[in-house]
Amino acid sequence: MSLLQRDIPRDAFGELSRFRTEFYACLTARGDALFELADALLCSDGSVKTLVELSLAPEHRRGHGALYGGMNYGRLDVARLRRTLTGLPLPRAADGRLVLAVDVSNWLRPEANTSPERLFCHTYSRGRGSAQMVPGWPYSFVATLEPGRTSWTAVLDVVRLCPWDDEIAVTAGQVREVVRRLLAAGQWQAGDPPVLIVVDAGYDVTRLAFLLADLPVELLGRMRSDRVLYFPPPPRPAGKGGRKPQRGAEFKFEDPATWPAPDVTTVTDTTHYGRAEAVAWDRLHPLLVRRSAWANYPEGRLPVIEGTVVRLRVEHLRGDRNPRPIWLWWSRTGATAGDVDRLWQGFLRRFDLEHTFRMIKQTLGWTVPKLREPAAADRWTWLIVAAYTQLRLARPLAEDLRKPWERPARRGRLTPARVRRGFRRLHGKTPQPASAPKVSTAGPGRPTGSRNRHRACEHPVGKRDKPTTAERATNNRSA
């Protein structure tokens, strides 16, 4: 029985073929070299350790010079690729809702002093209290989450954060563009449930909700356990004058004495976490002050951003028999018991994005190349996204080529690494739009004994103002 005669979705092979053809059309300069580089990335055995070794894969018919030429001087139509990713079949929750996760992953470059636009990235090493700041390029990813236990996500967009960026403003603009593309692609219609956007504690979820209030989305984010929110002010007694209070009673996450009776309480028995208890309080908002992000807000009162607070406590986590509770804030009010269960379960699905980061870093080698220019790093990042998308589309088609010591995977439960292991067998049946390489000889290179007289300039690390056009031109000439 052939591969295409098995019980698989009818359009799986067609979707993969169409994406490969459209991806090649997005490569507007040195497209053959970049396309074959992506194929070598998909068909290589084992994890990617160095970039140049990909030129030895049979799928890469060109030399290593063409590989680096494509990385440094190729061009990619990112807008078209983003529209293509949005138009693919996307996973949905049980109620048909799209659930998007937003998170930042860092490409650490601590010793790349000549690489511009680096930031100090917050990283963790082994052990508690081992957080440190390492120079690198942070990238913001937006991906669609799948329901149930899985290690797959559908990456829709990626943006590199620059030293002059306001992270929350850039994230809001990124999510706004993703939602607009979803609307244009017909992935969301009037009457569908709002798109759920899930973020972790590193984001100001209330500010994101304010910036995205005009879109059909809901924001759900974790808050630190030391936060203090406020209830709405109580109604003023009849006949009492004076200024109306702006806020009501305090709600301190660390002080149970400030917690009134919850509006919703749910208890669920789970197989992974034991007994999960979630309680919710309605109409809680943070106290905003005129500094930092709100310093330039127009004159008048700052907005009141109300939402629902959910406190989730599970019986046990892996390696922790007494886990601390998780505090969540939802941008809507009037939550029901069904909403509360849907919210905390959707938040736990956010950690599937960590599996994607681990896959693209440890297996596909996203952070392996020692590229100098940020434009080349962006180009390589989009190649990684295109390769990972092909693995997702090939999931129903790939065979389970397991090692003798590995357990057989159930149908439709192949991990991204196992799909990549069998992608070479599928590769020959897919469209191959790249043209054959032309016969050429290597260039003369630098004369023996000569020195490089054009030394690259070093660039500072950290936050700074946006450079002018003249400064950018000077940096480009120096590099």
Side-chain angles (χ1 to χ4, degrees):
M1 182 181 295
S2 66
L3 181 65
L4 299 181
Q5 292 175 341
R6 297 181 180 179
D7 183 19
I8 57 177
R10 294 179 56 187
D11 294 338
F13 187 81
E15 288 290 346
L16 176 60
S17 300
R18 284 190 292 271
F19 179 78
R20 285 176 60 84
T21 304
E22 185 64 20
F23 170 55
Y24 180 77
C26 296
L27 304 173
T28 57
R30 308 209 179 198
D32 294 337
L34 291 175
F35 188 84
E36 290 189 354
L37 175 58
D39 279 353
L41 189 65
L42 288 167
C43 299
S44 297
D45 297 327
S47 303
V48 176
K49 300 299 183 182
T50 60
L51 180 62
V52 69
E53 287 184 353
L54 292 176
S55 64
L56 302 179
E59 290 75 16
H60 194 277
R61 299 175 293 176
R62 291 160 170 80
H64 63 277
L67 182 148
Y68 281 106
M71 287 299 303
N72 292 319
Y73 304 108
R75 286 197 298 271
L76 177 66
D77 189 348
V78 176
R80 182 173 180 176
L81 182 55
R82 282 169 170 157
R83 292 193 298 268
T84 302
L85 293 172
T86 308
L88 295 174
L90 299 179
R92 296 174 181 268
D95 59 352
R97 185 190 309 268
L98 286 170
V99 181
L100 305 183
V102 185
D103 203 358
V104 172
S105 186
N106 301 316
W107 184 342
L108 301 181
R109 300 300 312 277
E111 299 178 357
N113 296 329
T114 59
S115 293
E117 301 179 7
R118 291 182 301 160
L119 278 166
F120 285 108
C121 304
H122 190 267
T123 60
Y124 290 96
S125 57
R126 294 184 178 181
R128 292 186 177 182
S130 57
Q132 52 185 330
M133 306 298 288
V134 180
W137 290 315
Y139 281 83
S140 174
F141 288 79
V142 178
T144 307
L145 303 179
E146 293 191 2
R149 295 171 58 185
T150 178
S151 57
W152 289 93
T153 62
V155 180
L156 299 180
D157 192 35
V158 57
V159 170
R160 179 172 51 84
L161 301 176
C162 297
W164 51 83
D165 284 337
D166 179 351
E167 182 177 341
I168 299 301
V170 171
T171 302
Q174 182 184 17
V175 172
R176 179 177 297 277
E177 293 302 319
V178 169
V179 173
R180 286 178 176 175
R181 291 194 294 270
L182 290 172
L183 298 178
Q187 300 282 9
W188 189 90
Q189 303 287 343
D192 292 346
V195 180
L196 180 62
I197 312 294
V198 185
V199 297
D200 206 3
Y203 292 88
D204 187 349
V205 62
T206 56
R207 185 183 171 204
L208 279 176
F210 176 78
L211 295 175
L212 301 174
D214 59 324
L215 297 178
V217 299
E218 302 173 351
L219 272 296
L220 175 67
R222 180 165 62 171
M223 285 187 164
R224 301 190 314 270
S225 59
D226 59 350
R227 291 294 298 271
V228 178
L229 302 185
Y230 296 89
F231 286 100
R236 181 184 301 180
K240 183 177 180 180
R243 183 179 180 182
K244 182 180 179 180
Q246 300 183 18
R247 54 187 180 272
E250 287 185 340
F251 185 93
K252 298 181 179 180
F253 289 0
E254 294 181 327
D255 187 4
T258 62
W259 306 349
D263 297 296
V264 179
T265 301
T266 65
V267 179
T268 308
D269 291 326
T270 66
T271 57
H272 226 53
Y273 309 104
R275 185 183 179 89
E277 179 182 1
V279 292
W281 292 269
D282 199 18
R283 299 190 64 188
L284 281 162
H285 65 274
L287 175 62
L288 305 181
V289 293
R290 287 191 177 276
R291 65 170 182 264
S292 186
W294 300 99
N296 297 324
Y297 189 79
E299 293 296 331
R301 288 189 178 183
L302 292 173
V304 176
I305 309 173
E306 291 187 343
T308 301
V309 170
V310 178
R311 180 180 184 268
L312 171 65
R313 190 177 187 90
V314 297
E315 191 173 7
H316 59 79
L317 291 173
R318 181 176 298 179
D320 191 354
R321 288 295 176 181
N322 189 24
R324 291 181 294 180
I326 296 175
W327 292 93
L328 306 175
W329 187 88
W330 183 44
S331 61
R332 300 293 178 94
T333 57
T336 63
D339 290 330
V340 172
D341 285 337
R342 172 177 63 85
L343 293 173
W344 70 260
Q345 292 172 13
F347 177 79
L348 294 181
R349 292 268 60 83
R350 190 208 70 83
F351 295 99
D352 295 340
L353 193 55
E354 302 296 336
H355 295 288
T356 301
F357 293 155
R358 188 179 299 112
M359 172 66 186
I360 65 176
K361 285 185 175 181
Q362 298 182 1
T363 303
L364 298 182
W366 172 43
T367 58
V368 163
K370 306 301 181 183
L371 303 173
R372 175 187 295 176
E373 295 298 327
D378 296 345
R379 201 171 296 120
W380 171 248
T381 301
W382 279 109
L383 287 184
I384 293 288
V385 171
Y388 182 83
T389 302
Q390 293 184 60
L391 293 178
R392 182 174 67 88
L393 297 176
R395 179 167 43 160
L397 306 167
E399 299 181 64
D400 185 14
L401 304 180
R402 64 185 181 90
K403 302 292 179 61
W405 54 86
E406 294 177 338
R407 295 180 179 180
R410 290 181 297 171
R411 191 57 180 274
R413 299 291 295 177
L414 290 180
T415 62
R418 286 206 187 185
V419 173
R420 178 174 179 262
R421 193 181 298 170
F423 193 87
R424 174 167 282 169
R425 295 191 178 187
L426 183 64
H427 175 262
K429 304 180 178 67
T430 59
Q432 308 295 327
S435 59
K438 299 178 182 179
V439 179
S440 62
T441 58
R446 184 184 301 165
T448 304
S450 64
R451 290 187 175 184
N452 181 14
R453 299 183 183 278
H454 303 283
R455 297 182 61 85
C457 64
E458 297 186 359
H459 300 271
V461 184
K463 287 286 187 180
R464 59 183 183 273
D465 294 334
K466 190 172 184 178
T468 62
T469 305
E471 291 174 340
R472 281 183 175 274
T474 302
N475 294 338
N476 293 335
R477 287 195 299 268
S478 300

